[in-house]
Amino acid sequence: GWDAPHPDTSYTAKEWWAFFKDWNEGYVANPELGFDGFAGIDWDVEGVNNLTSAYNEISLECFQLMGEMSHLAKGDGYLVTVVPAQSYLNPSVPQVDLSLRHSSPCAADFHYAGSNGYTALLAKYGSDTFDLVSVQLYETWSYINCKIRSLGNPPKQLREFVRSYTTPFWMDFSNITKLGIDIPPEDWHVHISPSQLLVGFSFGAGGSGKSIYIAPTDLGEALHGDDLPKENWPRGAFFWNLDLDGNRPVNGTAFNTSFASGFNDIFHTRV
């Protein structure tokens, strides 16, 4: 998560995976209670508040650790998911590098955005390695935040977001040849299926605007548009965070909302 250390790359992916399996199966699991341990791992490697920190770049060693450990987990039947901030995986911006010190398109003094580092992860290690791709639209000064501030119409922007992520998109990997993405430029496409995509929301940032609040009804309107067939809908939605649901005013207002019930009205996960 944000402002946390990246994985220790002095251990190999095989060593990390062995540690995890031993801990998960030998310590965490409790068969007597019907719990066999965690079903998988989720990658949430992000930047930190100190701009000069080495953790504001995904190192080559960390990148390789994430990909190789993901392959090991999938090979053992575990689930693997990623939860990138939108700038870490954004089909609308083709430039790719591993720095987390970029500016936001609508906040030039904000220097903590990424540039498709997770897109490179999917390209190098295979999109189908990752069972879920959960995109944080609530990233500080995210791309969709900038679009809605400029153009309005949240349902339209959400519909375009879903289309852009679930249609194969071309990325420019020419600046990161060190990653060894060994495919010709004309095939530098990444594909995320609708069944993999989760859309991430938040309650806003106290009215400051830096973390956008988008209502569940806007998502419902976006998905129910005539030009977005249900088979192209994302798998679902998520939000930060459960403890705030229904009991915190959104975006500096006096209005409360429940993402859980609002999203259930759309996806009918629970009847």
Side-chain angles (χ1 to χ4, degrees), residues 30-62:
N30 192 330
E32 292 183 1
L33 297 179
F35 180 61
D36 295 326
F38 292 105
I41 56 175
D42 177 53
W43 292 109
D44 188 15
V45 174
E46 300 185 31
V48 297
N49 287 324
N50 178 2
L51 191 61
T52 63
S53 169
Y55 293 139
N56 276 317
E57 181 165 354
I58 301 174
S59 70
L60 174 61
E61 294 78 15
C62 181

Side-chain angles (χ1 to χ4, degrees), residues 79-92:
L79 299 174
V80 183
T81 64
V82 291
V83 57
Q86 188 180 16
S87 67
Y88 297 12
L89 202 166
N90 185 2
S92 299

Side-chain angles (χ1 to χ4, degrees), residues 1-75:
W2 181 256
D3 212 26
H6 293 183
D8 184 349
T9 56
S10 65
Y11 298 98
T12 67
K14 287 183 178 179
E15 288 172 325
W16 267 115
W17 183 239
F19 294 155
F20 174 83
K21 284 187 68 178
D22 287 347
W23 170 79
N24 191 44
E25 298 173 5
Y27 179 77
V28 174
N30 192 330
E32 292 183 1
L33 297 179
F35 180 61
D36 295 326
F38 292 105
I41 56 175
D42 177 53
W43 292 109
D44 188 15
V45 174
E46 300 185 31
V48 297
N49 287 324
N50 178 2
L51 191 61
T52 63
S53 169
Y55 293 139
N56 276 317
E57 181 165 354
I58 301 174
S59 70
L60 174 61
E61 294 78 15
C62 181
F63 179 90
Q64 292 171 333
L65 172 64
M66 293 168 69
E68 291 169 9
M69 187 171 166
S70 297
H71 276 175
L72 292 169
K74 288 292 286 188

Side-chain angles (χ1 to χ4, degrees), residues 135-152:
V135 181
Q136 302 176 29
L137 299 187
Y138 52 85
E139 173 191 16
T140 300
W141 301 119
S142 67
Y143 186 83
I144 197 170
N145 186 354
C146 298
K147 288 199 70 176
I148 290 174
R149 289 168 65 85
S150 173
L151 302 173

